[in-house]
Amino acid sequence: MKENQIRIERLAQEQNLSDEDFRVLWQTMDQEDEAFLYAKAREACQRVYGREVYLRGLIEFSSYCKNNCYYCGLRKSNAHAERYRLTQEQILECCDEGYRLGFRTFVLQSGEDPYGTDDRICRIVAAIRQAHPDCAITLSIGEKSRESYQAYFDAGADRYLLRHETADPVHYRALHPPELSCENRKRCLFDLKDIGYQTGCGIMVGSPGQTIDQLLADLHFMKELGPHMIGIGPFIPHRDTPFHDRAPGTLTDTLHLLGILRLMFPHALLPATTALGTIHPRGREKGILAGANVVMPNLSPAAVRGKYLLYDGKICTGEEAAQCHECMEARIRTTGYEVVVSRGDWRPEDNVPSPHRTD
Ligand code: SAH
Ligand code: SF4
């Protein structure tokens, strides 16, 4: 067996790699190694989740943001960004439509919009919880206090996505203005997990200034956190941001990292993201075949989709929810996997699905 394949085999067995093995693997992986990695990753995923791919209905409910992350098209200093906010009623309509289509998880994502007070968020969560008691509610609305996270959880939210972006404080500083800190981002993630959320962290692959050392720091941080979900996608520049002229992350690096993460975290829910679908027409399918097991079709009203632009060239901004859903099902079928009507909860070590909340 080739040396890299021995490394991959070891990674599959031990669910970890030494820094040195990771460095060599990352820098010298050829096409044969890559095929071996993806086959091992699919095997690991199938042992826990079978050939199921889980759907998350993404509702982008506000494009206002008080933050100024250097990479993001929604940053407050982007005067060209079109801003909108959905009403509670509109959000509920998206969920109802999603439910009819077979979604059992709703992901509510937004910029850090001061209008979204804890009271308003809790009311929205409680209304969805009441209307769809059999569904999971995921929030992705940024950094909050522990008390706020607890309040959303008590209102009925069960999952939270907060990419840590980079685990290296110096790199974090290069991606964000001084008022945001790596330390607080990590604090948020530990609080979320401690409260009882199924918690997702993640990074942009190829973000400006990212090196193999930062990737290593990310892997170490993830092992420490023990996330239930890990969202990764390529960095893609946005024309109206300070990083407008930086190179995007690559398809290859993103797929390699998906495969490695699957072997390091066999139980994790790993999305094949919209950003991956944006840099390659079959990016999401390739993601599934490299070890991902989640896709997140858009449920936002077609009228606002073109306004939630984190990066340039974002796909799926023209379709209605039903079209998006149908397109996604067809795409997944081409991979030999199957989209299921299920909450798609994280599965613990003994492989028994976690109990569904019924409150
Ligand atoms: N405001 C919330 C959620 C919306 S942003 C938050 O920041 O957590 C969701 C994710 O989009 C971010 O975590 C970031 O990783 C990703 N993102 C932002 N700008 C991007 C870009 N230019 N390319 C790729 N991903 C980007
Ligand atoms: Fe706001 Fe999130 Fe974009 Fe940062 S990444 S500017 S917090 S929407």
mmCIF file of all heavy atoms in Angstrom, residues 26-27 29 34 38 203-208 210 215 232-237 246-259 273-284 286-287 290:
data_model
loop_
_atom_site.group_PDB
_atom_site.id
_atom_site.type_symbol
_atom_site.label_atom_id
_atom_site.label_comp_id
_atom_site.label_asym_id
_atom_site.label_seq_id
_atom_site.Cartn_x
_atom_site.Cartn_y
_atom_site.Cartn_z
ATOM 1 N N TRP A 26 -1.876 16.166 3.300
ATOM 2 C CA TRP A 26 -2.484 17.366 2.703
ATOM 3 C C TRP A 26 -1.665 17.863 1.510
ATOM 4 O O TRP A 26 -2.201 18.306 0.512
ATOM 5 C CB TRP A 26 -2.596 18.458 3.775
ATOM 6 C CG TRP A 26 -3.380 19.657 3.339
ATOM 7 C CD1 TRP A 26 -2.883 20.869 2.987
ATOM 8 C CD2 TRP A 26 -4.813 19.741 3.208
ATOM 9 N NE1 TRP A 26 -3.905 21.724 2.639
ATOM 10 C CE2 TRP A 26 -5.102 21.058 2.771
ATOM 11 C CE3 TRP A 26 -5.866 18.848 3.404
ATOM 12 C CZ2 TRP A 26 -6.406 21.498 2.531
ATOM 13 C CZ3 TRP A 26 -7.159 19.293 3.176
ATOM 14 C CH2 TRP A 26 -7.423 20.597 2.742
ATOM 15 N N GLN A 27 -0.356 17.747 1.634
ATOM 16 C CA GLN A 27 0.494 18.332 0.590
ATOM 17 C C GLN A 27 0.826 17.388 -0.548
ATOM 18 O O GLN A 27 1.259 17.834 -1.605
ATOM 19 C CB GLN A 27 1.777 18.884 1.232
ATOM 20 C CG GLN A 27 1.492 20.190 1.949
ATOM 21 C CD GLN A 27 2.598 20.607 2.905
ATOM 22 O OE1 GLN A 27 3.400 19.781 3.337
ATOM 23 N NE2 GLN A 27 2.621 21.886 3.250
ATOM 24 N N MET A 29 -1.244 14.483 -1.565
ATOM 25 C CA MET A 29 -2.308 13.574 -1.981
ATOM 26 C C MET A 29 -2.461 13.584 -3.509
ATOM 27 O O MET A 29 -2.651 14.640 -4.102
ATOM 28 C CB MET A 29 -3.629 13.988 -1.323
ATOM 29 C CG MET A 29 -4.546 12.825 -1.225
ATOM 30 S SD MET A 29 -5.988 12.980 -0.140
ATOM 31 C CE MET A 29 -5.857 14.450 0.768
ATOM 32 N N GLU A 34 -6.682 10.145 -3.247
ATOM 33 C CA GLU A 34 -7.948 10.859 -3.109
ATOM 34 C C GLU A 34 -9.120 9.876 -3.227
ATOM 35 O O GLU A 34 -10.035 9.876 -2.409
ATOM 36 C CB GLU A 34 -7.968 11.859 -4.255
ATOM 37 C CG GLU A 34 -8.941 12.951 -4.201
ATOM 38 C CD GLU A 34 -8.739 13.820 -5.443
ATOM 39 O OE1 GLU A 34 -9.199 13.423 -6.532
ATOM 40 O OE2 GLU A 34 -8.112 14.871 -5.320
ATOM 41 N N TYR A 38 -11.880 9.040 -0.293
ATOM 42 C CA TYR A 38 -13.334 9.192 -0.432
ATOM 43 C C TYR A 38 -14.056 7.865 -0.198
ATOM 44 O O TYR A 38 -15.124 7.828 0.403
ATOM 45 C CB TYR A 38 -13.703 9.755 -1.809
ATOM 46 C CG TYR A 38 -13.089 11.110 -2.118
ATOM 47 C CD1 TYR A 38 -12.878 11.529 -3.427
ATOM 48 C CD2 TYR A 38 -12.722 11.975 -1.082
ATOM 49 C CE1 TYR A 38 -12.318 12.762 -3.709
ATOM 50 C CE2 TYR A 38 -12.151 13.210 -1.359
ATOM 51 C CZ TYR A 38 -11.947 13.596 -2.678
ATOM 52 O OH TYR A 38 -11.387 14.823 -2.956
ATOM 53 N N ILE A 203 -15.501 26.098 9.048
ATOM 54 C CA ILE A 203 -14.583 27.094 8.486
ATOM 55 C C ILE A 203 -14.848 27.279 6.988
ATOM 56 O O ILE A 203 -15.541 26.475 6.370
ATOM 57 C CB ILE A 203 -13.100 26.658 8.630
ATOM 58 C CG1 ILE A 203 -12.841 25.335 7.881
ATOM 59 C CG2 ILE A 203 -12.711 26.535 10.085
ATOM 60 C CD1 ILE A 203 -11.368 25.020 7.667
ATOM 61 N N MET A 204 -14.261 28.337 6.450
ATOM 62 C CA MET A 204 -14.192 28.498 4.997
ATOM 63 C C MET A 204 -12.847 27.929 4.552
ATOM 64 O O MET A 204 -11.805 28.284 5.123
ATOM 65 C CB MET A 204 -14.253 29.974 4.620
ATOM 66 C CG MET A 204 -15.596 30.606 4.922
ATOM 67 S SD MET A 204 -15.601 32.372 4.571
ATOM 68 C CE MET A 204 -14.615 32.981 5.916
ATOM 69 N N VAL A 205 -12.865 27.078 3.562
ATOM 70 C CA VAL A 205 -11.620 26.495 3.060
ATOM 71 C C VAL A 205 -10.960 27.505 2.124
ATOM 72 O O VAL A 205 -11.607 28.037 1.212
ATOM 73 C CB VAL A 205 -11.902 25.174 2.311
ATOM 74 C CG1 VAL A 205 -10.619 24.587 1.746
ATOM 75 C CG2 VAL A 205 -12.592 24.179 3.242
ATOM 76 N N GLY A 206 -9.698 27.789 2.382
ATOM 77 C CA GLY A 206 -8.979 28.737 1.528
ATOM 78 C C GLY A 206 -9.290 30.186 1.854
ATOM 79 O O GLY A 206 -9.150 31.066 0.995
ATOM 80 N N SER A 207 -9.712 30.468 3.087
ATOM 81 C CA SER A 207 -9.946 31.875 3.447
ATOM 82 C C SER A 207 -8.597 32.601 3.408
ATOM 83 O O SER A 207 -7.539 31.985 3.622
ATOM 84 C CB SER A 207 -10.584 31.971 4.832
ATOM 85 O OG SER A 207 -9.743 31.415 5.809
ATOM 86 N N PRO A 208 -8.605 33.907 3.140
ATOM 87 C CA PRO A 208 -7.345 34.633 2.999
ATOM 88 C C PRO A 208 -6.437 34.438 4.214
ATOM 89 O O PRO A 208 -6.875 34.587 5.352
ATOM 90 C CB PRO A 208 -7.807 36.089 2.857
ATOM 91 C CG PRO A 208 -9.151 35.974 2.214
ATOM 92 C CD PRO A 208 -9.774 34.747 2.825
ATOM 93 N N GLN A 210 -5.119 31.615 5.174
ATOM 94 C CA GLN A 210 -5.148 30.265 5.756
ATOM 95 C C GLN A 210 -3.966 29.440 5.252
ATOM 96 O O GLN A 210 -3.700 29.400 4.067
ATOM 97 C CB GLN A 210 -6.454 29.584 5.342
ATOM 98 C CG GLN A 210 -6.691 28.219 5.958
ATOM 99 C CD GLN A 210 -8.018 27.650 5.448
ATOM 100 O OE1 GLN A 210 -8.138 27.288 4.281
ATOM 101 N NE2 GLN A 210 -9.007 27.625 6.306
ATOM 102 N N LEU A 215 -5.135 25.145 9.492
ATOM 103 C CA LEU A 215 -6.002 23.960 9.351
ATOM 104 C C LEU A 215 -5.757 22.984 10.494
ATOM 105 O O LEU A 215 -6.703 22.408 11.040
ATOM 106 C CB LEU A 215 -5.769 23.280 8.001
ATOM 107 C CG LEU A 215 -6.332 24.023 6.791
ATOM 108 C CD1 LEU A 215 -5.914 23.330 5.495
ATOM 109 C CD2 LEU A 215 -7.850 24.127 6.869
ATOM 110 N N ILE A 232 -18.374 23.163 6.250
ATOM 111 C CA ILE A 232 -17.234 23.764 5.547
ATOM 112 C C ILE A 232 -17.616 24.001 4.085
ATOM 113 O O ILE A 232 -18.376 23.251 3.483
ATOM 114 C CB ILE A 232 -15.948 22.899 5.601
ATOM 115 C CG1 ILE A 232 -16.106 21.580 4.839
ATOM 116 C CG2 ILE A 232 -15.512 22.652 7.035
ATOM 117 C CD1 ILE A 232 -14.790 20.985 4.402
ATOM 118 N N GLY A 233 -17.085 25.075 3.550
ATOM 119 C CA GLY A 233 -17.276 25.378 2.134
ATOM 120 C C GLY A 233 -16.123 26.255 1.720
ATOM 121 O O GLY A 233 -15.429 26.823 2.576
ATOM 122 N N PRO A 234 -15.888 26.384 0.422
ATOM 123 C CA PRO A 234 -14.783 27.238 -0.020
ATOM 124 C C PRO A 234 -15.080 28.708 0.262
ATOM 125 O O PRO A 234 -16.237 29.130 0.182
ATOM 126 C CB PRO A 234 -14.746 26.994 -1.538
ATOM 127 C CG PRO A 234 -16.147 26.575 -1.886
ATOM 128 C CD PRO A 234 -16.655 25.817 -0.696
ATOM 129 N N PHE A 235 -14.055 29.463 0.598
ATOM 130 C CA PHE A 235 -14.177 30.926 0.600
ATOM 131 C C PHE A 235 -14.381 31.377 -0.844
ATOM 132 O O PHE A 235 -13.712 30.880 -1.756
ATOM 133 C CB PHE A 235 -12.896 31.555 1.164
ATOM 134 C CG PHE A 235 -12.734 33.002 0.763
ATOM 135 C CD1 PHE A 235 -13.541 33.988 1.321
ATOM 136 C CD2 PHE A 235 -11.802 33.364 -0.215
ATOM 137 C CE1 PHE A 235 -13.417 35.319 0.916
ATOM 138 C CE2 PHE A 235 -11.674 34.690 -0.619
ATOM 139 C CZ PHE A 235 -12.477 35.673 -0.049
ATOM 140 N N ILE A 236 -15.323 32.286 -1.046
ATOM 141 C CA ILE A 236 -15.552 32.848 -2.383
ATOM 142 C C ILE A 236 -15.596 34.368 -2.224
ATOM 143 O O ILE A 236 -16.363 34.873 -1.398
ATOM 144 C CB ILE A 236 -16.894 32.349 -2.980
ATOM 145 C CG1 ILE A 236 -16.931 30.811 -3.020
ATOM 146 C CG2 ILE A 236 -17.126 32.939 -4.376
ATOM 147 C CD1 ILE A 236 -18.281 30.226 -3.433
ATOM 148 N N PRO A 237 -14.765 35.096 -2.965
ATOM 149 C CA PRO A 237 -14.740 36.549 -2.751
ATOM 150 C C PRO A 237 -16.063 37.220 -3.141
ATOM 151 O O PRO A 237 -16.787 36.734 -4.009
ATOM 152 C CB PRO A 237 -13.602 37.025 -3.658
ATOM 153 C CG PRO A 237 -13.323 35.902 -4.600
ATOM 154 C CD PRO A 237 -13.796 34.643 -3.956
ATOM 155 N N ARG A 246 -9.155 38.539 -3.514
ATOM 156 C CA ARG A 246 -8.437 37.371 -3.014
ATOM 157 C C ARG A 246 -8.904 36.118 -3.741
ATOM 158 O O ARG A 246 -10.035 36.044 -4.215
ATOM 159 C CB ARG A 246 -8.652 37.212 -1.499
ATOM 160 C CG ARG A 246 -8.364 38.482 -0.714
ATOM 161 C CD ARG A 246 -6.936 38.985 -0.939
ATOM 162 N NE ARG A 246 -5.984 38.188 -0.190
ATOM 163 C CZ ARG A 246 -5.508 38.497 0.991
ATOM 164 N NH1 ARG A 246 -5.870 39.630 1.581
ATOM 165 N NH2 ARG A 246 -4.648 37.715 1.596
ATOM 166 N N ALA A 247 -8.011 35.133 -3.797
ATOM 167 C CA ALA A 247 -8.320 33.897 -4.529
ATOM 168 C C ALA A 247 -9.351 33.065 -3.757
ATOM 169 O O ALA A 247 -9.300 33.017 -2.527
ATOM 170 C CB ALA A 247 -7.052 33.080 -4.715
ATOM 171 N N PRO A 248 -10.273 32.443 -4.473
ATOM 172 C CA PRO A 248 -11.233 31.569 -3.785
ATOM 173 C C PRO A 248 -10.580 30.273 -3.316
ATOM 174 O O PRO A 248 -9.513 29.888 -3.801
ATOM 175 C CB PRO A 248 -12.281 31.274 -4.863
ATOM 176 C CG PRO A 248 -11.595 31.483 -6.165
ATOM 177 C CD PRO A 248 -10.514 32.511 -5.923
ATOM 178 N N GLY A 249 -11.231 29.610 -2.388
ATOM 179 C CA GLY A 249 -10.810 28.262 -1.998
ATOM 180 C C GLY A 249 -11.101 27.309 -3.149
ATOM 181 O O GLY A 249 -11.920 27.613 -4.016
ATOM 182 N N THR A 250 -10.434 26.159 -3.158
ATOM 183 C CA THR A 250 -10.587 25.266 -4.302
ATOM 184 C C THR A 250 -11.522 24.093 -3.986
ATOM 185 O O THR A 250 -11.718 23.717 -2.832
ATOM 186 C CB THR A 250 -9.230 24.673 -4.743
ATOM 187 O OG1 THR A 250 -8.743 23.808 -3.704
ATOM 188 C CG2 THR A 250 -8.206 25.769 -5.022
ATOM 189 N N LEU A 251 -12.048 23.535 -5.085
ATOM 190 C CA LEU A 251 -12.882 22.339 -4.984
ATOM 191 C C LEU A 251 -12.083 21.204 -4.357
ATOM 192 O O LEU A 251 -12.545 20.520 -3.432
ATOM 193 C CB LEU A 251 -13.341 21.941 -6.400
ATOM 194 C CG LEU A 251 -14.144 20.645 -6.512
ATOM 195 C CD1 LEU A 251 -15.549 20.830 -5.955
ATOM 196 C CD2 LEU A 251 -14.222 20.164 -7.960
ATOM 197 N N THR A 252 -10.866 21.011 -4.852
ATOM 198 C CA THR A 252 -10.041 19.899 -4.376
ATOM 199 C C THR A 252 -9.780 19.978 -2.879
ATOM 200 O O THR A 252 -9.969 19.014 -2.152
ATOM 201 C CB THR A 252 -8.703 19.884 -5.153
ATOM 202 O OG1 THR A 252 -9.025 19.839 -6.539
ATOM 203 C CG2 THR A 252 -7.852 18.693 -4.801
ATOM 204 N N ASP A 253 -9.360 21.156 -2.415
ATOM 205 C CA ASP A 253 -9.085 21.287 -0.978
ATOM 206 C C ASP A 253 -10.343 21.024 -0.151
ATOM 207 O O ASP A 253 -10.288 20.396 0.912
ATOM 208 C CB ASP A 253 -8.554 22.694 -0.654
ATOM 209 C CG ASP A 253 -7.085 22.843 -1.007
ATOM 210 O OD1 ASP A 253 -6.440 21.833 -1.346
ATOM 211 O OD2 ASP A 253 -6.577 23.984 -0.944
ATOM 212 N N THR A 254 -11.468 21.531 -0.629
ATOM 213 C CA THR A 254 -12.717 21.351 0.137
ATOM 214 C C THR A 254 -13.084 19.874 0.212
ATOM 215 O O THR A 254 -13.444 19.356 1.278
ATOM 216 C CB THR A 254 -13.863 22.166 -0.494
ATOM 217 O OG1 THR A 254 -13.425 23.512 -0.683
ATOM 218 C CG2 THR A 254 -15.099 22.163 0.394
ATOM 219 N N LEU A 255 -12.966 19.163 -0.909
ATOM 220 C CA LEU A 255 -13.306 17.734 -0.912
ATOM 221 C C LEU A 255 -12.324 16.939 -0.054
ATOM 222 O O LEU A 255 -12.722 16.039 0.686
ATOM 223 C CB LEU A 255 -13.331 17.200 -2.344
ATOM 224 C CG LEU A 255 -14.418 17.801 -3.251
ATOM 225 C CD1 LEU A 255 -14.268 17.272 -4.672
ATOM 226 C CD2 LEU A 255 -15.820 17.511 -2.729
ATOM 227 N N HIS A 256 -11.047 17.280 -0.138
ATOM 228 C CA HIS A 256 -10.065 16.588 0.705
ATOM 229 C C HIS A 256 -10.412 16.770 2.180
ATOM 230 O O HIS A 256 -10.389 15.818 2.959
ATOM 231 C CB HIS A 256 -8.647 17.125 0.462
ATOM 232 C CG HIS A 256 -8.070 16.699 -0.852
ATOM 233 N ND1 HIS A 256 -6.824 17.093 -1.281
ATOM 234 C CD2 HIS A 256 -8.563 15.908 -1.837
ATOM 235 C CE1 HIS A 256 -6.579 16.563 -2.472
ATOM 236 N NE2 HIS A 256 -7.620 15.841 -2.828
ATOM 237 N N LEU A 257 -10.736 18.005 2.540
ATOM 238 C CA LEU A 257 -11.032 18.253 3.950
ATOM 239 C C LEU A 257 -12.321 17.544 4.378
ATOM 240 O O LEU A 257 -12.402 17.010 5.491
ATOM 241 C CB LEU A 257 -11.119 19.765 4.223
ATOM 242 C CG LEU A 257 -11.156 20.134 5.701
ATOM 243 C CD1 LEU A 257 -9.921 19.621 6.450
ATOM 244 C CD2 LEU A 257 -11.270 21.641 5.903
ATOM 245 N N LEU A 258 -13.315 17.504 3.495
ATOM 246 C CA LEU A 258 -14.552 16.760 3.823
ATOM 247 C C LEU A 258 -14.230 15.298 4.118
ATOM 248 O O LEU A 258 -14.703 14.724 5.102
ATOM 249 C CB LEU A 258 -15.564 16.836 2.669
ATOM 250 C CG LEU A 258 -16.476 18.063 2.619
ATOM 251 C CD1 LEU A 258 -17.317 18.042 1.336
ATOM 252 C CD2 LEU A 258 -17.399 18.132 3.837
ATOM 253 N N GLY A 259 -13.414 14.701 3.261
ATOM 254 C CA GLY A 259 -13.052 13.291 3.449
ATOM 255 C C GLY A 259 -12.318 13.072 4.765
ATOM 256 O O GLY A 259 -12.609 12.138 5.521
ATOM 257 N N THR A 273 -22.148 22.063 0.949
ATOM 258 C CA THR A 273 -22.719 23.408 1.051
ATOM 259 C C THR A 273 -23.011 24.075 -0.297
ATOM 260 O O THR A 273 -22.507 23.670 -1.339
ATOM 261 C CB THR A 273 -21.750 24.331 1.836
ATOM 262 O OG1 THR A 273 -20.469 24.286 1.177
ATOM 263 C CG2 THR A 273 -21.580 23.867 3.261
ATOM 264 N N THR A 274 -23.804 25.134 -0.216
ATOM 265 C CA THR A 274 -24.131 25.926 -1.409
ATOM 266 C C THR A 274 -22.859 26.523 -2.014
ATOM 267 O O THR A 274 -22.719 26.600 -3.235
ATOM 268 C CB THR A 274 -25.112 27.051 -1.024
ATOM 269 O OG1 THR A 274 -26.223 26.464 -0.348
ATOM 270 C CG2 THR A 274 -25.619 27.797 -2.247
ATOM 271 N N ALA A 275 -21.909 26.917 -1.152
ATOM 272 C CA ALA A 275 -20.661 27.484 -1.679
ATOM 273 C C ALA A 275 -19.908 26.441 -2.515
ATOM 274 O O ALA A 275 -19.326 26.759 -3.555
ATOM 275 C CB ALA A 275 -19.777 27.986 -0.535
ATOM 276 N N LEU A 276 -19.985 25.187 -2.090
ATOM 277 C CA LEU A 276 -19.338 24.114 -2.861
ATOM 278 C C LEU A 276 -20.046 23.941 -4.203
ATOM 279 O O LEU A 276 -19.409 23.727 -5.238
ATOM 280 C CB LEU A 276 -19.376 22.816 -2.032
ATOM 281 C CG LEU A 276 -18.640 21.594 -2.549
ATOM 282 C CD1 LEU A 276 -17.176 21.893 -2.839
ATOM 283 C CD2 LEU A 276 -18.743 20.437 -1.542
ATOM 284 N N GLY A 277 -21.366 24.071 -4.190
ATOM 285 C CA GLY A 277 -22.140 24.008 -5.440
ATOM 286 C C GLY A 277 -21.904 25.222 -6.325
ATOM 287 O O GLY A 277 -22.158 25.186 -7.533
ATOM 288 N N THR A 278 -21.427 26.296 -5.724
ATOM 289 C CA THR A 278 -21.188 27.525 -6.493
ATOM 290 C C THR A 278 -19.859 27.461 -7.246
ATOM 291 O O THR A 278 -19.759 27.959 -8.364
ATOM 292 C CB THR A 278 -21.222 28.753 -5.535
ATOM 293 O OG1 THR A 278 -22.527 28.847 -4.971
ATOM 294 C CG2 THR A 278 -20.861 30.044 -6.260
ATOM 295 N N ILE A 279 -18.844 26.832 -6.664
ATOM 296 C CA ILE A 279 -17.546 26.801 -7.361
ATOM 297 C C ILE A 279 -17.459 25.671 -8.386
ATOM 298 O O ILE A 279 -16.554 25.659 -9.217
ATOM 299 C CB ILE A 279 -16.314 26.754 -6.417
ATOM 300 C CG1 ILE A 279 -16.356 25.541 -5.489
ATOM 301 C CG2 ILE A 279 -16.150 28.039 -5.645
ATOM 302 C CD1 ILE A 279 -14.998 25.235 -4.867
ATOM 303 N N HIS A 280 -18.401 24.731 -8.331
ATOM 304 C CA HIS A 280 -18.422 23.666 -9.348
ATOM 305 C C HIS A 280 -19.859 23.204 -9.544
ATOM 306 O O HIS A 280 -20.577 23.005 -8.560
ATOM 307 C CB HIS A 280 -17.547 22.485 -8.902
ATOM 308 C CG HIS A 280 -17.369 21.441 -9.968
ATOM 309 N ND1 HIS A 280 -18.352 20.513 -10.267
ATOM 310 C CD2 HIS A 280 -16.357 21.195 -10.831
ATOM 311 C CE1 HIS A 280 -17.940 19.736 -11.255
ATOM 312 N NE2 HIS A 280 -16.727 20.134 -11.617
ATOM 313 N N PRO A 281 -20.296 23.015 -10.794
ATOM 314 C CA PRO A 281 -21.704 22.657 -11.034
ATOM 315 C C PRO A 281 -22.137 21.358 -10.358
ATOM 316 O O PRO A 281 -23.311 21.192 -10.056
ATOM 317 C CB PRO A 281 -21.815 22.539 -12.560
ATOM 318 C CG PRO A 281 -20.457 22.753 -13.113
ATOM 319 C CD PRO A 281 -19.555 23.258 -12.035
ATOM 320 N N ARG A 282 -21.206 20.461 -10.109
ATOM 321 C CA ARG A 282 -21.565 19.229 -9.388
ATOM 322 C C ARG A 282 -20.851 19.150 -8.027
ATOM 323 O O ARG A 282 -20.610 18.080 -7.494
ATOM 324 C CB ARG A 282 -21.239 17.987 -10.245
ATOM 325 C CG ARG A 282 -22.287 17.759 -11.368
ATOM 326 C CD ARG A 282 -21.976 16.523 -12.218
ATOM 327 N NE ARG A 282 -21.613 15.350 -11.442
ATOM 328 C CZ ARG A 282 -22.474 14.497 -10.872
ATOM 329 N NH1 ARG A 282 -23.765 14.696 -10.991
ATOM 330 N NH2 ARG A 282 -22.040 13.456 -10.204
ATOM 331 N N GLY A 283 -20.538 20.322 -7.495
ATOM 332 C CA GLY A 283 -19.788 20.381 -6.247
ATOM 333 C C GLY A 283 -20.474 19.657 -5.102
ATOM 334 O O GLY A 283 -19.839 18.941 -4.326
ATOM 335 N N ARG A 284 -21.793 19.843 -4.982
ATOM 336 C CA ARG A 284 -22.496 19.222 -3.848
ATOM 337 C C ARG A 284 -22.533 17.707 -3.988
ATOM 338 O O ARG A 284 -22.342 16.969 -3.019
ATOM 339 C CB ARG A 284 -23.895 19.815 -3.706
ATOM 340 C CG ARG A 284 -23.848 21.231 -3.127
ATOM 341 C CD ARG A 284 -25.150 21.961 -3.292
ATOM 342 N NE ARG A 284 -25.530 22.091 -4.693
ATOM 343 C CZ ARG A 284 -26.634 22.677 -5.110
ATOM 344 N NH1 ARG A 284 -27.496 23.166 -4.239
ATOM 345 N NH2 ARG A 284 -26.897 22.782 -6.410
ATOM 346 N N LYS A 286 -20.329 15.917 -5.530
ATOM 347 C CA LYS A 286 -18.963 15.470 -5.220
ATOM 348 C C LYS A 286 -18.737 15.473 -3.708
ATOM 349 O O LYS A 286 -18.032 14.607 -3.177
ATOM 350 C CB LYS A 286 -17.931 16.372 -5.912
ATOM 351 C CG LYS A 286 -17.828 16.147 -7.419
ATOM 352 C CD LYS A 286 -16.900 17.202 -8.029
ATOM 353 C CE LYS A 286 -16.804 17.082 -9.544
ATOM 354 N NZ LYS A 286 -16.083 15.872 -9.979
ATOM 355 N N GLY A 287 -19.322 16.443 -3.032
ATOM 356 C CA GLY A 287 -19.226 16.520 -1.580
ATOM 357 C C GLY A 287 -19.832 15.287 -0.921
ATOM 358 O O GLY A 287 -19.248 14.719 0.003
ATOM 359 N N ALA A 290 -17.635 12.462 -1.211
ATOM 360 C CA ALA A 290 -16.399 12.566 -0.410
ATOM 361 C C ALA A 290 -16.676 12.419 1.077
ATOM 362 O O ALA A 290 -15.771 12.558 1.897
ATOM 363 C CB ALA A 290 -15.716 13.912 -0.688
#
